[in-house]
Amino acid sequence: MFTRKTHSETSNGLEDGIAMPNVHRRTFLKYAGMGAAVLSTGSVLSSCSSDDDNDGTGVSLGSGDTAVLNYAFALEQLEAAFYTQVILTPYTGISDEEMSFLTDIRNHEIAHREFFRKALSTSAIQDLQVDFSSIDFTSRDKVLAAAQTFEDLGVSAYNGAGKYITTPAYLGLAGKIVSVEARHAAYIRDLVSAGSFSSNADSNGLDAAKTPADVFAAAGVYIKTKINTNTLPK
Amino acid sequence: MDLQNIFSEIEKKDPEIYERLDTRRNVMKQFGRVLAMSAVPFALGGMLKKAYGRTPADVLAVLNFALTLEYLEAEFYAQAITHTSLFPTAASLQAFTTIGTHETAHVAFLKSAITSASGTPVDKPTFDFTAGGTFSNVFTNYGTLLGVAQAFEDTGVRAYKGQAATLMENSTVLTAALQIHSIEARHAAHIRSMRRALTGDTKIKPWITGKYTDIAATQPVYNGEENEIQANVTITGIATQVTQDAATESFDEPLTKEAVLEIANLFIV
């Protein structure tokens, strides 16, 4: 990881990218059986360090860069589902500007989710089942607190996963998305507490970077579908 | 991220890492266990240099490029907050103070990183925040001050993004750069919200729509942000909710080093 890369995999460059435009969306057939098998409700993914593996069952993220992209796809699915619910059942006292910006954020997360679905093509994981039963969507405080958690977590997930990506074009795409997530995070933080847009920075002025294990430990409570995180690069 | 994880990862890839790192294996192990990454910026960088021979020059070049931008930002906020009467509210002054603190920390962090990789940090340039008169009232007009701040922050985001691939050489540096990058994006979002409130221009949002800017002189900061195609996937219309505006907002675009320097050099004497 610390040695000089040959970058042989970069010869295609950005232009070829990761999309295969002629490939249709992933075939649901491929996952029909798997989906039924792995929807163990309420399973909470958690572990103490990146060395802890789960039991190896659940939705496979694939390996290498595919696993990292599926990891991002999973998080974008979670965020998109959350904001879809927020807009479907707006919290009490939502302002016009909040409604407008939260709708923007929903649309961005849907754009991210659908981008990963297309880009991953047949390697994309299935649609995940989410569980937001712990969130009171009528409460501004509760919704914004959850939104802050999701956005800060998303930023830290991308920041932590960047080093696992071996294809420069994919790293570039993660970079294009993470700063938008950071913009969301700043906006949400300011709604929660004015002026807190970047108050999660450490003493070096750095944002958080989290391992996939830590991210799933935090997000797992909202994801019903069991995910096998063992194949994520470490 | 913590150092213990980094060392265990290195050890997996290179079981002899501790031997390579001289006779201090026990110290190293202990070091990894007890020290937080944030406390020792790039101490690791120096060790890896010993282990693998050298830190690639292009990584150092990126760090010095980043340092130049952070000098620019840090100096801008440091000067700005001395003009206390310019700020209409305590909150606006506090926001500038907060951001300035981060930029100053980034300067120190990058200098330390460069030094520990046996590089030489570039000197701080002399700045002209009026950009040769384009923003002549930058420190006497709050609107201009915010306009320049927005341009710096959005440029910073694009600048780090543009260098990420080069930093794949060194995952420790890459991660740190990403951690700075997202903080710059948070700054940008907040400054943009401040400008939306000040100007009443509802086209200014925390995120960038198309290549829109209400300040013509800052157009080079936004050119290219109108991109709707990512890795051959057309984002506009990818789902019914994803309008053209949403498509451009949902992906920030990088700038090349050359394009960034062209912008930054307007402010460098």
Side-chain angles (χ1 to χ4, degrees):
Chain A
M1 180 149 300
F2 289 84
T3 52
R4 177 176 259 277
K5 291 185 172 67
T6 63
H7 285 186
S8 58
E9 67 273 51
T10 75
S11 56
N12 289 338
L14 251 176
E15 289 310 308
D16 290 341
I18 55 178
M20 301 171 69
N22 295 324
V23 178
H24 293 296
R25 283 189 181 182
R26 66 186 171 75
T27 55
F28 282 81
L29 278 176
K30 181 177 175 188
Y31 293 101
M34 185 199 284
V38 297
L39 290 176
S40 55
T41 47
S43 65
V44 176
L45 305 172
S46 68
S47 69
C48 300
S49 84
S50 59
D51 287 333
D52 289 355
D53 293 343
N54 65 16
D55 63 6
T57 63
V59 174
S60 171
L61 298 175
S63 62
D65 282 352
T66 296
V68 181
L69 296 180
N70 265 323
Y71 169 52
F73 181 37
L75 294 175
E76 297 294 351
Q77 285 193 40
L78 182 64
E79 290 188 302
F82 172 73
Y83 287 106
T84 296
Q85 187 62 50
V86 170
I87 299 307
L88 206 60
T89 55
Y91 52 76
T92 307
I94 192 168
S95 73
D96 289 347
E97 184 172 276
E98 287 167 13
M99 188 66 185
S100 171
F101 280 171
L102 290 170
T103 302
D104 275 7
I105 295 176
R106 177 200 64 181
N107 297 347
H108 301 163
E109 307 299 6
I110 289 174
H112 295 162
R113 182 190 68 196
E114 295 309 312
F115 165 74
F116 280 117
R117 191 195 303 283
K118 272 207 167 177
L120 281 156
S121 185
T122 54
S123 299
I125 57 168
Q126 67 182 81
D127 289 344
L128 301 177
Q129 301 295 310
V130 296
D131 177 1
F132 296 136
S133 59
S134 60
I135 302 168
D136 176 0
F137 281 90
T138 67
S139 161
R140 182 179 188 273
D141 287 354
K142 296 290 186 344
V143 168
L144 294 181
Q148 180 177 319
T149 298
F150 286 132
E151 296 296 349
D152 281 345
L153 193 64
V155 172
S156 68
Y158 279 102
N159 283 349
K163 67 177 178 181
Y164 299 129
I165 298 173
T166 61
T167 307
Y170 302 174
L171 178 63
L173 285 160
K176 288 174 175 216
I177 291 173
V178 66
S179 57
V180 175
E181 302 292 352
R183 291 173 189 273
H184 295 167
Y187 170 69
I188 298 289
R189 280 183 156 271
D190 277 341
L191 286 185
V192 171
S193 174
S196 71
F197 54 98
S198 59
S199 53
N200 60 319
D202 69 14
S203 61
N204 288 312
L206 304 188
D207 213 326
K210 287 198 162 81
T211 64
D214 286 345
V215 170
F216 276 116
V221 67
Y222 304 110
I223 304 175
K224 270 208 272 192
T225 310
K226 190 169 184 184
I227 299 172
N228 176 6
T229 57
N230 288 353
T231 57
L232 277 165
K234 287 174 190 159
Chain B
M1 164 166 57
D2 68 58
L3 273 179
Q4 187 56 45
N5 272 352
I6 292 171
F7 283 117
S8 63
E9 282 164 19
I10 297 171
E11 201 170 12
K12 281 178 204 161
K13 299 262 191 279
D14 179 0
E16 293 170 354
I17 178 70
Y18 294 115
E19 281 75 10
R20 286 175 188 273
L21 288 166
D22 212 333
T23 57
R24 288 164 290 178
R25 55 184 301 171
N26 291 327
V27 178
M28 286 293 301
K29 285 180 170 171
Q30 204 58 31
F31 182 73
R33 224 164 259 135
V34 299
L35 286 182
M37 190 65 205
S38 58
V40 197
F42 297 120
L44 186 62
M47 294 168 195
L48 287 173
K49 180 170 176 293
K50 290 189 184 77
Y52 293 103
R54 70 182 186 96
T55 301
D58 44 5
V59 172
L60 271 177
V62 170
L63 289 172
N64 264 319
F65 166 65
L67 177 58
T68 301
L69 294 178
E70 297 291 352
Y71 276 139
L72 174 76
E73 292 185 309
E75 181 72 16
F76 172 74
Y77 289 102
Q79 288 192 29
I81 59 174
T82 65
H83 302 274
T84 50
S85 61
L86 201 51
F87 293 87
T89 61
S92 56
L93 177 59
Q94 183 56 50
F96 265 59
T97 304
T98 298
I99 296 174
T101 301
H102 291 158
E103 310 301 8
T104 301
H106 294 164
V107 167
F109 184 81
L110 290 168
K111 284 170 94 168
S112 168
I114 292 164
T115 304
S116 68
S118 299
T120 305
V122 292
D123 291 334
K124 182 164 82 170
T126 303
F127 297 111
D128 167 19
F129 293 110
T130 74
T134 305
F135 304 106
S136 59
N137 59 355
V138 61
F139 290 128
T140 54
N141 180 288
Y142 182 60
T144 305
L145 184 78
L146 285 189
V148 173
Q150 180 185 314
F152 285 167
E153 296 298 342
D154 281 332
T155 299
V157 174
R158 300 191 70 175
Y160 277 96
K161 204 186 311 295
Q163 299 307 309
T166 305
L167 298 182
M168 293 173 83
E169 299 289 343
N170 183 323
S171 66
T172 306
V173 175
L174 172 63
T175 300
L178 288 170
Q179 290 174 278
I180 296 177
H181 168 248
S182 59
I183 288 294
E184 301 293 350
R186 290 171 186 266
H187 294 167
H190 187 78
I191 297 282
R192 295 174 68 89
S193 291
M194 292 169 76
R195 292 200 65 247
R196 176 184 172 93
L198 182 75
T199 63
D201 182 349
T202 55
K203 286 189 279 188
I204 305 172
K205 302 180 187 179
W207 26 93
I208 300 166
T209 309
K211 58 177 179 182
Y212 178 73
T213 174
D214 58 315
I215 303 172
T218 64
Q219 191 61 59
V221 175
Y222 299 98
N223 286 341
E225 288 284 3
E226 71 276 21
N227 181 26
E228 299 172 55
I229 300 171
Q230 304 296 343
N232 289 338
V233 174
T234 300
I235 306 302
T236 302
I238 197 168
T240 54
Q241 300 91 341
V242 184
T243 60
Q244 185 180 44
D245 281 355
T248 63
E249 289 166 357
S250 56
F251 291 81
D252 280 340
E253 298 298 322
L255 272 182
T256 63
K257 185 189 275 191
E258 291 69 31
V260 170
L261 287 176
E262 212 165 294
I263 293 166
N265 284 338
L266 298 174
F267 299 92
I268 294 175
V269 177

